[in-house]
């Protein structure tokens, strides 16, 4: 009898319920994916430009981190049977998309080398701050309930805040 109870307990521990999520979790992921994709686009611009070595290293690290996050978020949305994207106006009631204006990214792309580092720092700092604001909605009142999404939001707040501090200390 005791073995049967132990076996039952072990099997019930092995079968876990699917992660719970709510509309705030879905919205957070749907908004952070394009935000991260734009961040990746921005940091890739530094690879072929004359920027300080430390800034080039930070940009490469940001690219890897944000791509990993995008891959995870896409997987979670698939597991939840939720679309990866929705119309940007669908999130207008939640502060809208936190991406950098496309014209700023375009101007950065065509900036002369002599102005690139300063502009890059400005654009990337704003972009990273947008990610922090977005992540705060996930962990704030009325936010998400999914432990993975909430942990991602916490990590985004911590990492992007630290990156902004680094960006503000780069000498141009």
């Amino acid at each position: 009898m005791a073995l049967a109870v132990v076996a039952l307990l072990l099997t019930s521990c092995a079968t876990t319920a699917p992660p719970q999520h709510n509309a705030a979790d879905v919205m957070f992921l749907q908004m952070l994916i394009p935000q991260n994709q734009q961040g990746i686009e921005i940091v890739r611009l530094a690879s072929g430009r004359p920027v300080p070595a430390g800034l080039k290293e930070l940009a490469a690290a940001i690219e890897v981190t944000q791509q990993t996050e995008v891959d995870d978020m896409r997987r979670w949305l698939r597991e939840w049977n939720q679309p990866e994207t929705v119309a940007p106006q669908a999130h207008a009631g939640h502060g809208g998309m936190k991406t950098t204006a496309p014209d700023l990214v375009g101007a950065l792309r065509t900036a002369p080398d002599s102005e690139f580092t300063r502009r890059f720092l400005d654009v990337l700092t704003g972009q990273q701050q947008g990610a922090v604001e977005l992540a705060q909605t996930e962990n704030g009142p009325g936010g998400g309930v999914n432990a993975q999404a909430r942990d991602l939001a916490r990590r985004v707040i911590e990492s992007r805040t630290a990156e902004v501090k680094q960006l503000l200390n780069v000498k141009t």
Side-chain angles (χ1 to χ4, degrees):
M1 177 70 172
L3 287 177
V5 170
V6 170
L8 182 60
L9 288 174
L10 289 175
T11 57
S12 65
C13 291
T15 59
T16 59
Q20 294 181 348
H21 64 278
N22 65 9
D25 293 312
V26 173
M27 179 196 66
F28 169 61
L29 301 183
Q30 289 172 337
M31 292 175 71
L32 189 58
I33 288 172
Q35 207 277 343
N36 273 16
Q37 289 172 321
Q38 186 182 56
I40 292 166
E41 176 187 0
I42 291 167
V43 297
R44 284 181 177 166
L45 295 176
S47 67
R49 294 297 195 107
V51 297
L55 183 56
K56 206 168 274 219
E57 288 174 23
L58 178 60
I62 289 171
E63 179 179 356
V64 169
T65 298
Q66 291 188 6
Q67 185 60 58
T68 300
E69 291 171 354
V70 167
D71 294 343
D72 288 343
M73 291 183 288
R74 284 179 169 156
R75 186 182 75 253
W76 297 339
L77 288 169
R78 278 192 311 271
E79 289 170 358
W80 300 346
N81 295 314
Q82 297 294 319
E84 180 180 316
T85 59
V86 295
Q89 62 270 24
H91 298 305
H94 304 282
M97 298 299 278
K98 300 290 183 192
T99 56
T100 301
D103 57 328
L104 287 176
V105 178
L108 179 60
R109 184 175 276 111
T110 59
D113 285 349
S114 61
E115 297 177 24
F116 181 82
T117 298
R118 181 185 53 77
R119 288 187 185 182
F120 178 78
L121 290 168
D122 290 344
V123 171
L124 186 57
T125 298
Q127 205 273 342
Q128 298 299 75
Q129 288 172 329
V132 170
E133 291 172 20
L134 180 56
Q136 288 169 336
T137 65
E138 170 69 3
N139 284 343
V145 298
N146 180 271
Q148 290 174 306
R150 289 180 61 83
D151 183 58
L152 172 61
R154 180 195 54 76
R155 288 183 284 128
V156 165
I157 292 167
E158 290 174 4
S159 67
R160 305 313 194 270
T161 299
E163 290 162 2
V164 166
K165 286 178 184 174
Q166 285 182 271
L167 293 168
L168 293 174
N169 288 320
V170 171
K171 304 287 187 242
T172 57

